[in-house]
Amino acid sequence: VALIATALFCWFPATLFFMSPYSESLFALEIIAVVALIERRQFLAASFVAAFASATSPESIALTLALMIAALLAGKAVRWVILYGAISGIGIFAYMMFLWARFGSPTEFVTVQKYWRRSEHFPFVGLYRNVLALRHYLVGPGPPLGGTSPTFTNIRWVWLLDDGALVLGSILAVALLVMCVQRWQSRGEPGIALGIETGPIPVSFVVVALVIVALAACTTISPYALPTYASSEGEARFISVAAPLYVSGALLIRRSTGLMCFAIGGSVILALLFQAMYNLGYWLT
């Protein structure tokens, strides 16, 4: 499972951003470190790594929630759980103080999103509107209904990658939750071995996967500033860091050689394709 999950992680098509000047490579490392420390019940150490993660990406709320829930389930006193949560937020608090001193607004990182026409909506709004615009993506280029700017070919296909990543991430997150519940229910029965193959799935994995996918599903971009048009642009990049999703995928395909070859082979092909596009100057996000 670990070997398959690592292969999927390294060759996910959006992992090209791990070699680019984005925060994803650092954030992925922090996620892996935090969930590993949580499973070793080193909650204080995990909270300090989560503090760095909170200065790296707003998605770090997933780590704070996973840390606090795991600490509660481990029987830690409420005061310790609150302390872990407070420490994990030091990074974003310090960053907000810097923004306040520099720009006069502690939430400038949210306000500035309007310049990329990015906003938060109900989950899957961008995906839904992309599906409605699917014919335009395939037939284009040209402006969407009500727009004046064209949809360029490379952007069109990258948006489809983002849509696919969001759907796949959602399926893997739900599958991880289902497997977690099933294994919890079977705990204590004879024949249940230790380890990720048949043992309990860590709750931190489930929380991190669900929260990151939910945040990605709520983020949309309106490239033409139209109230009726939005896309899921960037969601493949947001989801690529969620290491527990790769574990979920590995658990689902581990017994089928055909599925493993299809999943890993397809990922390698797409990763090389989008890396080549990025190197040639195409806009990818």
Side-chain angles (χ1 to χ4, degrees), residues 33-206:
V34 169
V35 296
L37 289 168
I38 289 174
E39 293 318 304
R40 289 170 172 78
R41 297 200 172 193
Q42 298 177 16
F43 298 113
L44 186 59
S47 66
F48 280 106
V49 178
F52 282 96
S54 71
T56 305
S57 171
E59 288 182 295
S60 66
I61 184 64
L63 299 180
T64 299
L65 290 174
L67 173 61
M68 296 179 72
I69 292 173
L72 280 173
L73 293 176
K76 292 291 184 179
V78 174
R79 65 178 181 277
W80 283 106
V81 174
I82 294 174
L83 177 63
Y84 298 146
I87 292 174
S88 69
I90 289 175
I92 194 167
F93 176 77
Y95 182 54
M96 291 173 70
M97 293 301 99
F98 163 75
L99 293 176
W100 196 2
R102 178 66 176 80
F103 300 103
S105 170
T107 58
E108 186 66 16
F109 67 97
V110 177
T111 306
V112 76
Q113 295 300 317
K114 65 184 179 183
Y115 296 109
W116 284 270
R117 296 171 182 171
R118 193 177 294 280
S119 59
E120 300 297 322
H121 291 272
F122 288 109
F124 303 103
V125 166
L127 176 64
Y128 169 71
R129 291 179 177 172
N130 268 5
V131 170
L132 294 182
L134 185 59
R135 181 179 180 277
H136 164 70
Y137 285 170
L138 298 176
V139 174
L145 183 63
T148 57
S149 300
T151 299
F152 297 101
T153 302
N154 67 294
I155 294 178
R156 182 172 75 223
W157 292 110
V158 170
W159 283 350
L160 292 178
L161 169 66
D162 285 315
D163 288 345
L166 179 57
V167 172
L168 178 61
S170 301
I171 293 172
L172 293 178
V174 172
L176 191 65
L177 175 62
V178 171
M179 287 187 286
C180 180
V181 172
Q182 289 176 340
R183 293 183 184 197
W184 281 350
Q185 291 175 343
S186 64
R187 187 181 298 178
E189 292 183 3
I192 299 298
L194 297 176
I196 195 68
E197 282 280 3
T198 55
I201 292 175
V203 67
S204 59
F205 282 30
V206 179

Side-chain angles (χ1 to χ4, degrees), residues 3 6 8 24 27 79 93 112 140 175 185 198 206 223 235 247 267:
L3 182 61
T6 301
L8 294 174
E24 269 66 30
F27 190 44
R79 65 178 181 277
F93 176 77
V112 76
Q185 291 175 343
T198 55
V206 179
E235 290 174 356
V247 176
S267 294

